[in-house]
Amino acid sequence: MINQKNLRATLQVGLIAGVVALTMCMIGIVQSFDVRDVISETLSLGQILLFAAAPVAGYLASRRDKKAGLPARLLTGLLGGLLAAVPIYLLILLTLVWTTIRTAFVNVKPELIQIITLGHDSAAAGGLQLMLIFTGLGLVGGLFGLIPDQFRRAILNGLGWSIGLGTMTETMIGILRARVSSATLNTLFGKTGINLVPFIILFLLIVGLTYWWRGAGQGQITTVRERLSPTQQTWSRRTATTALILFILVLPSILGVYLSEIINNVGLYILMGLGLNIAVGLAGLLDLGYVTNFAVGAYIMALLTSTSQYGLESPISFWIALPICVLAAMMTGFFFALPVLKMRGDYLAIATLGFGEIVRVLARSDALKPLIGGAQGILQIPQARIAGFFATVSDVVLTPINGLLGRFDLSLLQVRGDAITFGTPPQLYYLIILACLLMLFISYRLNNSRTGRRWLAIREDEDVAAAMGINTTNAKVIAFTLSAASGGLAGAIFAAKLGSIYPHSFQLLISINVLSLIIVGGMGSIPGVVVGALALVGVPELLREFAEFRLLFYGIALIVMMLVRPEGLWPSEVQRRELRGEEDDMMIMQPAPGTAD
């Protein structure tokens, strides 16, 4: 039933999937993630990561030969799942023979053996049961490859959202506790995860909605929009925009202090991502020293406003210091751009990386310690606040709004005494959102400007752009300078947010994180920066107990994105055409089903 070629491919796929699952066990991922349940007292996140190897192997094995018959494809799926269990079963047998295995593999603990043997007293019996489960899941993966593509995508979407929401049970309980009754919470959630029945209902609901949307739903909504009159379309956009603005304004009172802090961290990375997106996404200038601009903005804010020995004798307010921080970062970007104007590609990346490390070393050095504190940093940085006339006007405007929102347990900023202080995470949220909206507007205008088109031309081919009359030197200097402005703004807010800054807060990893979120979100895409920051900053913050694996998953995410979706999660139209243009052309050239060639 299975020819030799397909058998060899099935063996390869199954064993590779098994080795991946074994690696996750050996480095501690399965055991660490097992502490968080997705379905309360039924299925943990660690078990999902372990068992996922079998259906994936079965699916990939059954898809190798699409011309094979149904029995052959099911058999290859079953065999792929079985083979995925072999490396893990060998680990179980090895622990029986090698009782001191932890001397070489410290993560092979009794708790891990309990997980992979499904809690059996007999390790051998538990291993055999594990192989049977893997075999069955491999068969499920083979069946999954036979269903229509539209339904398969709907199931994957349903699984992704259901597992994701189940993983965030603690966060959801924190949001809903003040808004629903205890009986409702107990119905939806268990002690450690979402209950089984709500999980199934949620999964089926998402599958149904996704299937409808990918089928007739999207077309029906488009048809309804096209039938609206111009006036109705205008009011529809205004209503949607108003609803979005209102949601953004009341979001801190919905999320609470902890989640607001996470959103604030995401917002700071969005600010830096929007800046670096100008240099990397639009102009194609790979800058690995972007943290320099972030550090300059933070240190200038500290020097101008701090009441410590390193501050001015008469410190100035946050709002006066803020534009100075931005200008200082822009000057840094300008001067750093001059020596690297002739560099391209890897050489440019190495040079900017060197600049970033030079600034970090100088910040820690004893040479600058009398000025910026050295390794001890700068303390006593005041929080941002609005006082006087502006606070009075804000009080007049916000008081009736807060009175109305208070009926729904919601609120906006509130005037305390004679000032508005941006100290707590819900208060800082509004400052960061304002800065993000400003940079979003600037980025959008730059994307659609003549300068933005010059940057795109340089990114595609600098020599051709120069031959077409573009002043590449001028354009690259402008890109570095404007890119640095957003980093300086983020650094200034960061200093006021923490109240103290230290050199170790400005590591190379920040530049890597900002570059990663641009790649994952989509190079040159403004919405992609937001999506990338949520994916690479927001989600890891929610899963902080697994921080030791953060860089590992960063690497995996980047590899998967390069292989599966190189244009990013939300690519710009230009990037999508560049990477998917040939595929789109092939789809257009293919005849429709049922038509003659």
Side-chain angles (χ1 to χ4, degrees), residues 249-292:
L249 291 176
V250 301
L251 188 58
S253 59
I254 297 175
L255 297 180
V257 175
Y258 174 65
L259 292 178
S260 294
E261 176 65 17
I262 293 177
I263 292 297
N264 291 343
N265 291 333
V266 173
L268 290 176
Y269 272 94
I270 289 175
L271 270 178
M272 290 188 283
L274 290 171
L276 188 58
N277 192 48
I278 294 174
V280 177
L282 295 182
L285 305 172
L286 185 54
D287 185 357
L288 292 181
Y290 192 73
V291 68
T292 300

mmCIF file of all heavy atoms in Angstrom, residues 249-292:
data_model
loop_
_atom_site.group_PDB
_atom_site.id
_atom_site.type_symbol
_atom_site.label_atom_id
_atom_site.label_comp_id
_atom_site.label_asym_id
_atom_site.label_seq_id
_atom_site.Cartn_x
_atom_site.Cartn_y
_atom_site.Cartn_z
ATOM 1 N N LEU A 249 -9.641 54.431 25.164
ATOM 2 C CA LEU A 249 -9.632 55.313 26.327
ATOM 3 C C LEU A 249 -10.008 54.584 27.613
ATOM 4 O O LEU A 249 -9.458 54.865 28.682
ATOM 5 C CB LEU A 249 -10.577 56.495 26.100
ATOM 6 C CG LEU A 249 -10.144 57.514 25.032
ATOM 7 C CD1 LEU A 249 -11.210 58.575 24.849
ATOM 8 C CD2 LEU A 249 -8.813 58.151 25.412
ATOM 9 N N VAL A 250 -10.941 53.651 27.541
ATOM 10 C CA VAL A 250 -11.398 52.979 28.764
ATOM 11 C C VAL A 250 -10.645 51.675 29.020
ATOM 12 O O VAL A 250 -10.895 51.004 30.022
ATOM 13 C CB VAL A 250 -12.916 52.684 28.691
ATOM 14 C CG1 VAL A 250 -13.701 53.963 28.500
ATOM 15 C CG2 VAL A 250 -13.244 51.680 27.586
ATOM 16 N N LEU A 251 -9.705 51.314 28.142
ATOM 17 C CA LEU A 251 -9.015 50.031 28.270
ATOM 18 C C LEU A 251 -8.296 49.861 29.610
ATOM 19 O O LEU A 251 -8.366 48.774 30.204
ATOM 20 C CB LEU A 251 -8.028 49.869 27.107
ATOM 21 C CG LEU A 251 -7.355 48.490 26.979
ATOM 22 C CD1 LEU A 251 -8.390 47.399 26.819
ATOM 23 C CD2 LEU A 251 -6.381 48.490 25.799
ATOM 24 N N PRO A 252 -7.603 50.877 30.165
ATOM 25 C CA PRO A 252 -6.917 50.654 31.451
ATOM 26 C C PRO A 252 -7.854 50.260 32.583
ATOM 27 O O PRO A 252 -7.498 49.437 33.431
ATOM 28 C CB PRO A 252 -6.247 52.005 31.732
ATOM 29 C CG PRO A 252 -6.127 52.656 30.413
ATOM 30 C CD PRO A 252 -7.321 52.214 29.627
ATOM 31 N N SER A 253 -9.052 50.854 32.636
ATOM 32 C CA SER A 253 -9.977 50.506 33.706
ATOM 33 C C SER A 253 -10.559 49.112 33.520
ATOM 34 O O SER A 253 -11.043 48.504 34.477
ATOM 35 C CB SER A 253 -11.103 51.538 33.784
ATOM 36 O OG SER A 253 -11.807 51.606 32.559
ATOM 37 N N ILE A 254 -10.495 48.576 32.290
ATOM 38 C CA ILE A 254 -10.932 47.208 32.053
ATOM 39 C C ILE A 254 -9.831 46.225 32.439
ATOM 40 O O ILE A 254 -10.087 45.186 33.060
ATOM 41 C CB ILE A 254 -11.316 47.012 30.567
ATOM 42 C CG1 ILE A 254 -12.507 47.895 30.203
ATOM 43 C CG2 ILE A 254 -11.635 45.553 30.268
ATOM 44 C CD1 ILE A 254 -12.864 47.858 28.728
ATOM 45 N N LEU A 255 -8.594 46.557 32.099
ATOM 46 C CA LEU A 255 -7.493 45.623 32.278
ATOM 47 C C LEU A 255 -6.962 45.596 33.707
ATOM 48 O O LEU A 255 -6.490 44.558 34.174
ATOM 49 C CB LEU A 255 -6.347 45.986 31.324
ATOM 50 C CG LEU A 255 -6.657 45.901 29.832
ATOM 51 C CD1 LEU A 255 -5.433 46.293 29.021
ATOM 52 C CD2 LEU A 255 -7.118 44.503 29.452
ATOM 53 N N GLY A 256 -6.980 46.717 34.399
ATOM 54 C CA GLY A 256 -6.390 46.753 35.725
ATOM 55 C C GLY A 256 -4.919 47.142 35.681
ATOM 56 O O GLY A 256 -4.349 47.413 34.617
ATOM 57 N N VAL A 257 -4.270 47.126 36.846
ATOM 58 C CA VAL A 257 -2.906 47.635 36.973
ATOM 59 C C VAL A 257 -1.905 46.736 36.263
ATOM 60 O O VAL A 257 -1.062 47.205 35.487
ATOM 61 C CB VAL A 257 -2.529 47.784 38.461
ATOM 62 C CG1 VAL A 257 -1.072 48.203 38.593
ATOM 63 C CG2 VAL A 257 -3.437 48.803 39.140
ATOM 64 N N TYR A 258 -1.964 45.425 36.514
ATOM 65 C CA TYR A 258 -0.956 44.511 35.964
ATOM 66 C C TYR A 258 -0.986 44.488 34.446
ATOM 67 O O TYR A 258 0.051 44.643 33.778
ATOM 68 C CB TYR A 258 -1.181 43.112 36.517
ATOM 69 C CG TYR A 258 -0.290 42.064 35.892
ATOM 70 C CD1 TYR A 258 1.088 42.107 36.058
ATOM 71 C CD2 TYR A 258 -0.826 41.034 35.122
ATOM 72 C CE1 TYR A 258 1.911 41.153 35.481
ATOM 73 C CE2 TYR A 258 -0.011 40.081 34.542
ATOM 74 C CZ TYR A 258 1.359 40.141 34.724
ATOM 75 O OH TYR A 258 2.169 39.198 34.138
ATOM 76 N N LEU A 259 -2.169 44.319 33.869
ATOM 77 C CA LEU A 259 -2.267 44.257 32.413
ATOM 78 C C LEU A 259 -1.983 45.616 31.775
ATOM 79 O O LEU A 259 -1.466 45.684 30.658
ATOM 80 C CB LEU A 259 -3.653 43.755 32.002
ATOM 81 C CG LEU A 259 -3.951 42.292 32.356
ATOM 82 C CD1 LEU A 259 -5.361 41.926 31.941
ATOM 83 C CD2 LEU A 259 -2.950 41.361 31.695
ATOM 84 N N SER A 260 -2.287 46.694 32.479
ATOM 85 C CA SER A 260 -1.946 48.021 31.962
ATOM 86 C C SER A 260 -0.432 48.183 31.873
ATOM 87 O O SER A 260 0.087 48.798 30.940
ATOM 88 C CB SER A 260 -2.539 49.113 32.856
ATOM 89 O OG SER A 260 -3.954 49.093 32.810
ATOM 90 N N GLU A 261 0.288 47.628 32.857
ATOM 91 C CA GLU A 261 1.747 47.676 32.816
ATOM 92 C C GLU A 261 2.285 46.915 31.606
ATOM 93 O O GLU A 261 3.233 47.358 30.947
ATOM 94 C CB GLU A 261 2.309 47.088 34.116
ATOM 95 C CG GLU A 261 3.817 46.975 34.171
ATOM 96 C CD GLU A 261 4.519 48.317 34.140
ATOM 97 O OE1 GLU A 261 3.861 49.356 34.395
ATOM 98 O OE2 GLU A 261 5.737 48.338 33.863
ATOM 99 N N ILE A 262 1.677 45.781 31.294
ATOM 100 C CA ILE A 262 2.089 45.014 30.114
ATOM 101 C C ILE A 262 1.825 45.815 28.843
ATOM 102 O O ILE A 262 2.671 45.885 27.940
ATOM 103 C CB ILE A 262 1.358 43.658 30.077
ATOM 104 C CG1 ILE A 262 1.820 42.779 31.240
ATOM 105 C CG2 ILE A 262 1.595 42.949 28.741
ATOM 106 C CD1 ILE A 262 1.113 41.454 31.322
ATOM 107 N N ILE A 263 0.655 46.437 28.762
ATOM 108 C CA ILE A 263 0.326 47.250 27.593
ATOM 109 C C ILE A 263 1.291 48.425 27.471
ATOM 110 O O ILE A 263 1.688 48.818 26.362
ATOM 111 C CB ILE A 263 -1.134 47.757 27.688
ATOM 112 C CG1 ILE A 263 -2.104 46.586 27.556
ATOM 113 C CG2 ILE A 263 -1.419 48.777 26.593
ATOM 114 C CD1 ILE A 263 -2.055 45.876 26.224
ATOM 115 N N ASN A 264 1.712 48.995 28.601
ATOM 116 C CA ASN A 264 2.676 50.096 28.557
ATOM 117 C C ASN A 264 4.014 49.630 27.986
ATOM 118 O O ASN A 264 4.645 50.349 27.191
ATOM 119 C CB ASN A 264 2.883 50.663 29.967
ATOM 120 C CG ASN A 264 1.662 51.401 30.484
ATOM 121 O OD1 ASN A 264 0.787 51.762 29.697
ATOM 122 N ND2 ASN A 264 1.590 51.617 31.775
ATOM 123 N N ASN A 265 4.474 48.448 28.393
ATOM 124 C CA ASN A 265 5.717 47.912 27.828
ATOM 125 C C ASN A 265 5.582 47.672 26.332
ATOM 126 O O ASN A 265 6.505 47.957 25.554
ATOM 127 C CB ASN A 265 6.096 46.612 28.542
ATOM 128 C CG ASN A 265 6.512 46.833 29.975
ATOM 129 O OD1 ASN A 265 6.990 47.909 30.335
ATOM 130 N ND2 ASN A 265 6.324 45.839 30.811
ATOM 131 N N VAL A 266 4.436 47.159 25.932
ATOM 132 C CA VAL A 266 4.177 46.960 24.502
ATOM 133 C C VAL A 266 4.205 48.300 23.778
ATOM 134 O O VAL A 266 4.770 48.427 22.680
ATOM 135 C CB VAL A 266 2.830 46.247 24.290
ATOM 136 C CG1 VAL A 266 2.467 46.203 22.805
ATOM 137 C CG2 VAL A 266 2.883 44.830 24.846
ATOM 138 N N GLY A 267 3.604 49.325 24.394
ATOM 139 C CA GLY A 267 3.574 50.648 23.775
ATOM 140 C C GLY A 267 4.958 51.231 23.569
ATOM 141 O O GLY A 267 5.237 51.856 22.528
ATOM 142 N N LEU A 268 5.858 51.043 24.542
ATOM 143 C CA LEU A 268 7.228 51.540 24.383
ATOM 144 C C LEU A 268 7.926 50.840 23.223
ATOM 145 O O LEU A 268 8.671 51.472 22.452
ATOM 146 C CB LEU A 268 8.014 51.327 25.679
ATOM 147 C CG LEU A 268 7.611 52.216 26.863
ATOM 148 C CD1 LEU A 268 8.397 51.840 28.104
ATOM 149 C CD2 LEU A 268 7.818 53.688 26.528
ATOM 150 N N TYR A 269 7.698 49.545 23.072
ATOM 151 C CA TYR A 269 8.310 48.825 21.950
ATOM 152 C C TYR A 269 7.655 49.209 20.618
ATOM 153 O O TYR A 269 8.316 49.194 19.580
ATOM 154 C CB TYR A 269 8.216 47.316 22.178
ATOM 155 C CG TYR A 269 9.378 46.773 22.969
ATOM 156 C CD1 TYR A 269 9.302 46.628 24.344
ATOM 157 C CD2 TYR A 269 10.571 46.430 22.342
ATOM 158 C CE1 TYR A 269 10.368 46.153 25.083
ATOM 159 C CE2 TYR A 269 11.644 45.946 23.062
ATOM 160 C CZ TYR A 269 11.544 45.805 24.431
ATOM 161 O OH TYR A 269 12.621 45.350 25.142
ATOM 162 N N ILE A 270 6.374 49.558 20.656
ATOM 163 C CA ILE A 270 5.736 50.059 19.434
ATOM 164 C C ILE A 270 6.394 51.368 19.014
ATOM 165 O O ILE A 270 6.667 51.593 17.825
ATOM 166 C CB ILE A 270 4.224 50.240 19.653
ATOM 167 C CG1 ILE A 270 3.538 48.879 19.764
ATOM 168 C CG2 ILE A 270 3.603 51.035 18.502
ATOM 169 C CD1 ILE A 270 2.062 48.968 20.112
ATOM 170 N N LEU A 271 6.656 52.245 19.999
ATOM 171 C CA LEU A 271 7.333 53.508 19.695
ATOM 172 C C LEU A 271 8.691 53.261 19.043
ATOM 173 O O LEU A 271 9.017 53.846 18.005
ATOM 174 C CB LEU A 271 7.521 54.310 20.981
ATOM 175 C CG LEU A 271 6.423 55.289 21.392
ATOM 176 C CD1 LEU A 271 6.774 55.933 22.714
ATOM 177 C CD2 LEU A 271 6.210 56.341 20.322
ATOM 178 N N MET A 272 9.482 52.385 19.642
ATOM 179 C CA MET A 272 10.797 52.095 19.073
ATOM 180 C C MET A 272 10.669 51.368 17.739
ATOM 181 O O MET A 272 11.450 51.615 16.808
ATOM 182 C CB MET A 272 11.615 51.257 20.057
ATOM 183 C CG MET A 272 12.049 52.019 21.287
ATOM 184 S SD MET A 272 13.187 51.096 22.335
ATOM 185 C CE MET A 272 12.045 49.968 23.127
ATOM 186 N N GLY A 273 9.675 50.486 17.628
ATOM 187 C CA GLY A 273 9.481 49.762 16.370
ATOM 188 C C GLY A 273 9.097 50.685 15.231
ATOM 189 O O GLY A 273 9.561 50.517 14.095
ATOM 190 N N LEU A 274 8.260 51.674 15.505
ATOM 191 C CA LEU A 274 7.886 52.634 14.464
ATOM 192 C C LEU A 274 9.090 53.428 13.991
ATOM 193 O O LEU A 274 9.209 53.759 12.805
ATOM 194 C CB LEU A 274 6.805 53.579 14.995
ATOM 195 C CG LEU A 274 5.421 52.962 15.226
ATOM 196 C CD1 LEU A 274 4.516 53.954 15.957
ATOM 197 C CD2 LEU A 274 4.790 52.541 13.906
ATOM 198 N N GLY A 275 10.004 53.754 14.928
ATOM 199 C CA GLY A 275 11.213 54.467 14.529
ATOM 200 C C GLY A 275 12.155 53.602 13.716
ATOM 201 O O GLY A 275 12.623 54.000 12.645
ATOM 202 N N LEU A 276 12.451 52.394 14.227
ATOM 203 C CA LEU A 276 13.366 51.516 13.505
ATOM 204 C C LEU A 276 12.775 51.070 12.175
ATOM 205 O O LEU A 276 13.509 50.779 11.228
ATOM 206 C CB LEU A 276 13.695 50.301 14.373
ATOM 207 C CG LEU A 276 14.801 49.376 13.846
ATOM 208 C CD1 LEU A 276 16.096 50.136 13.656
ATOM 209 C CD2 LEU A 276 14.997 48.193 14.779
ATOM 210 N N ASN A 277 11.458 51.030 12.081
ATOM 211 C CA ASN A 277 10.808 50.648 10.825
ATOM 212 C C ASN A 277 11.124 51.635 9.714
ATOM 213 O O ASN A 277 11.130 51.268 8.532
ATOM 214 C CB ASN A 277 9.294 50.559 11.040
ATOM 215 C CG ASN A 277 8.592 49.897 9.874
ATOM 216 O OD1 ASN A 277 8.991 48.846 9.403
ATOM 217 N ND2 ASN A 277 7.539 50.542 9.387
ATOM 218 N N ILE A 278 11.393 52.888 10.065
ATOM 219 C CA ILE A 278 11.773 53.876 9.056
ATOM 220 C C ILE A 278 13.119 53.507 8.442
ATOM 221 O O ILE A 278 13.288 53.509 7.220
ATOM 222 C CB ILE A 278 11.826 55.291 9.682
ATOM 223 C CG1 ILE A 278 10.429 55.739 10.114
ATOM 224 C CG2 ILE A 278 12.424 56.294 8.702
ATOM 225 C CD1 ILE A 278 10.407 57.046 10.872
ATOM 226 N N ALA A 279 14.088 53.184 9.308
ATOM 227 C CA ALA A 279 15.432 52.874 8.813
ATOM 228 C C ALA A 279 15.489 51.495 8.160
ATOM 229 O O ALA A 279 16.048 51.342 7.068
ATOM 230 C CB ALA A 279 16.437 52.949 9.964
ATOM 231 N N VAL A 280 14.914 50.488 8.792
ATOM 232 C CA VAL A 280 15.028 49.102 8.300
ATOM 233 C C VAL A 280 13.927 48.780 7.299
ATOM 234 O O VAL A 280 14.196 48.266 6.207
ATOM 235 C CB VAL A 280 14.990 48.112 9.480
ATOM 236 C CG1 VAL A 280 15.043 46.673 8.971
ATOM 237 C CG2 VAL A 280 16.138 48.372 10.434
ATOM 238 N N GLY A 281 12.675 49.060 7.667
ATOM 239 C CA GLY A 281 11.560 48.651 6.826
ATOM 240 C C GLY A 281 11.412 49.459 5.557
ATOM 241 O O GLY A 281 11.075 48.919 4.505
ATOM 242 N N LEU A 282 11.666 50.771 5.638
ATOM 243 C CA LEU A 282 11.489 51.625 4.463
ATOM 244 C C LEU A 282 12.792 51.840 3.700
ATOM 245 O O LEU A 282 12.852 51.665 2.487
ATOM 246 C CB LEU A 282 10.908 52.974 4.889
ATOM 247 C CG LEU A 282 9.491 52.953 5.481
ATOM 248 C CD1 LEU A 282 9.032 54.363 5.797
ATOM 249 C CD2 LEU A 282 8.513 52.286 4.531
ATOM 250 N N ALA A 283 13.848 52.238 4.424
ATOM 251 C CA ALA A 283 15.105 52.559 3.744
ATOM 252 C C ALA A 283 16.037 51.373 3.587
ATOM 253 O O ALA A 283 17.035 51.471 2.864
ATOM 254 C CB ALA A 283 15.821 53.678 4.507
ATOM 255 N N GLY A 284 15.751 50.260 4.276
ATOM 256 C CA GLY A 284 16.600 49.083 4.151
ATOM 257 C C GLY A 284 17.948 49.228 4.822
ATOM 258 O O GLY A 284 18.910 48.564 4.425
ATOM 259 N N LEU A 285 18.052 50.068 5.864
ATOM 260 C CA LEU A 285 19.313 50.299 6.581
ATOM 261 C C LEU A 285 19.287 49.488 7.872
ATOM 262 O O LEU A 285 18.598 49.857 8.832
ATOM 263 C CB LEU A 285 19.479 51.789 6.886
ATOM 264 C CG LEU A 285 19.399 52.725 5.672
ATOM 265 C CD1 LEU A 285 19.392 54.183 6.123
ATOM 266 C CD2 LEU A 285 20.558 52.461 4.724
ATOM 267 N N LEU A 286 19.993 48.375 7.907
ATOM 268 C CA LEU A 286 19.961 47.466 9.049
ATOM 269 C C LEU A 286 20.719 48.076 10.223
ATOM 270 O O LEU A 286 21.947 48.125 10.239
ATOM 271 C CB LEU A 286 20.575 46.118 8.658
ATOM 272 C CG LEU A 286 20.495 45.012 9.717
ATOM 273 C CD1 LEU A 286 19.058 44.808 10.170
ATOM 274 C CD2 LEU A 286 21.085 43.724 9.180
ATOM 275 N N ASP A 287 19.982 48.539 11.218
ATOM 276 C CA ASP A 287 20.541 49.239 12.383
ATOM 277 C C ASP A 287 20.410 48.330 13.606
ATOM 278 O O ASP A 287 19.317 48.108 14.113
ATOM 279 C CB ASP A 287 19.781 50.551 12.599
ATOM 280 C CG ASP A 287 20.385 51.391 13.713
ATOM 281 O OD1 ASP A 287 21.345 50.920 14.346
ATOM 282 O OD2 ASP A 287 19.888 52.505 13.952
ATOM 283 N N LEU A 288 21.552 47.808 14.088
ATOM 284 C CA LEU A 288 21.558 46.970 15.287
ATOM 285 C C LEU A 288 21.958 47.754 16.537
ATOM 286 O O LEU A 288 22.082 47.167 17.608
ATOM 287 C CB LEU A 288 22.515 45.785 15.102
ATOM 288 C CG LEU A 288 22.098 44.735 14.078
ATOM 289 C CD1 LEU A 288 23.113 43.611 14.018
ATOM 290 C CD2 LEU A 288 20.715 44.189 14.400
ATOM 291 N N GLY A 289 22.153 49.043 16.407
ATOM 292 C CA GLY A 289 22.496 49.875 17.562
ATOM 293 C C GLY A 289 21.388 50.831 17.925
ATOM 294 O O GLY A 289 21.657 51.907 18.486
ATOM 295 N N TYR A 290 20.146 50.458 17.644
ATOM 296 C CA TYR A 290 19.028 51.382 17.863
ATOM 297 C C TYR A 290 18.831 51.700 19.337
ATOM 298 O O TYR A 290 18.288 52.755 19.686
ATOM 299 C CB TYR A 290 17.745 50.781 17.290
ATOM 300 C CG TYR A 290 16.615 51.771 17.220
ATOM 301 C CD1 TYR A 290 16.615 52.778 16.264
ATOM 302 C CD2 TYR A 290 15.555 51.712 18.118
ATOM 303 C CE1 TYR A 290 15.584 53.710 16.210
ATOM 304 C CE2 TYR A 290 14.526 52.629 18.057
ATOM 305 C CZ TYR A 290 14.546 53.624 17.106
ATOM 306 O OH TYR A 290 13.529 54.544 17.049
ATOM 307 N N VAL A 291 19.295 50.815 20.223
ATOM 308 C CA VAL A 291 19.144 51.062 21.652
ATOM 309 C C VAL A 291 19.889 52.321 22.074
ATOM 310 O O VAL A 291 19.588 52.920 23.114
ATOM 311 C CB VAL A 291 19.639 49.838 22.444
ATOM 312 C CG1 VAL A 291 21.153 49.665 22.308
ATOM 313 C CG2 VAL A 291 19.253 49.934 23.908
ATOM 314 N N THR A 292 20.855 52.759 21.261
ATOM 315 C CA THR A 292 21.582 53.999 21.559
ATOM 316 C C THR A 292 20.624 55.181 21.659
ATOM 317 O O THR A 292 20.723 56.006 22.579
ATOM 318 C CB THR A 292 22.628 54.261 20.464
ATOM 319 O OG1 THR A 292 23.540 53.175 20.415
ATOM 320 C CG2 THR A 292 23.379 55.545 20.742
#
